[in-house]
Amino acid sequence: MGGRGTFAVGNKVPYSYETVGTIDGVKVLQGTSGKHGLPEEAHSSVAYIKLKPDGTFHEMRFYNEHHYLITEIAYHPEPNLNNGNRTENILHVHEYPQQDNFRIRPAHRITKQEYEKYKKFFKGVPKIEKW
């Protein structure tokens, strides 16, 4: 996959991700040169996972049938959802309602239903006991 998981003006772009494993059938990607997030577009999968260096879940992205990013589940500080706290990791979800517009991404704390559906991917994330 290229820098953003795409092709540049019809030319192949060097891969900037590599698959380093899978969790329940979903590819775990790692950057090949420096830090980065997961791709905004996917060509071969409907979801990808990124882990923190210690192996803890960091984020998971989901793509529609046209391979565009539609949803992201993340485990990192999100001050807008956590009373301004910039140090405590929280599980939350970003929706991407507009194709190719990555600035508009409303966030909400993960719901119990979302948590139950995806918890098998949350490697190293403390279990949520209270809702």
Side-chain angles (χ1 to χ4, degrees), residues 79-117:
N80 293 336
L81 298 177
N82 203 17
N83 299 317
N85 186 321
R86 296 182 179 277
T87 59
E88 182 182 345
N89 293 330
I90 62 167
L91 270 173
H92 59 282
V93 178
H94 289 279
E95 301 293 341
Y96 292 83
Q98 295 182 11
Q99 180 175 306
D100 287 335
N101 185 344
F102 306 111
R103 290 189 183 129
I104 297 177
R105 52 188 207 118
H108 65 269
R109 284 184 178 264
I110 196 163
T111 65
K112 186 174 184 178
Q113 182 179 2
E114 291 166 331
Y115 179 81
E116 290 299 325
K117 184 174 181 178

Side-chain angles (χ1 to χ4, degrees), residues 3-117:
R4 303 198 102 174
T6 63
F7 295 92
V9 193
N11 299 314
K12 282 195 165 202
V13 176
Y15 285 99
S16 61
Y17 304 92
E18 64 181 344
T19 302
V20 295
T22 62
I23 298 176
D24 203 46
V26 177
K27 292 179 184 178
V28 177
L29 298 185
Q30 179 178 318
T32 57
S33 56
K35 295 182 180 180
H36 63 78
L38 291 172
E40 284 86 7
E41 294 179 22
H43 289 285
S44 63
S45 298
V46 295
Y48 294 121
I49 296 171
K50 178 182 176 183
L51 302 177
K52 296 176 189 259
D54 68 359
T56 301
F57 174 86
H58 179 72
E59 68 183 358
M60 182 174 190
R61 285 188 167 177
F62 299 90
Y63 306 86
N64 67 15
E65 66 276 4
H66 303 291
H67 310 287
Y68 289 103
L69 173 61
I70 54 172
T71 305
E72 173 185 281
I73 299 174
Y75 181 62
H76 58 75
E78 188 64 33
N80 293 336
L81 298 177
N82 203 17
N83 299 317
N85 186 321
R86 296 182 179 277
T87 59
E88 182 182 345
N89 293 330
I90 62 167
L91 270 173
H92 59 282
V93 178
H94 289 279
E95 301 293 341
Y96 292 83
Q98 295 182 11
Q99 180 175 306
D100 287 335
N101 185 344
F102 306 111
R103 290 189 183 129
I104 297 177
R105 52 188 207 118
H108 65 269
R109 284 184 178 264
I110 196 163
T111 65
K112 186 174 184 178
Q113 182 179 2
E114 291 166 331
Y115 179 81
E116 290 299 325
K117 184 174 181 178

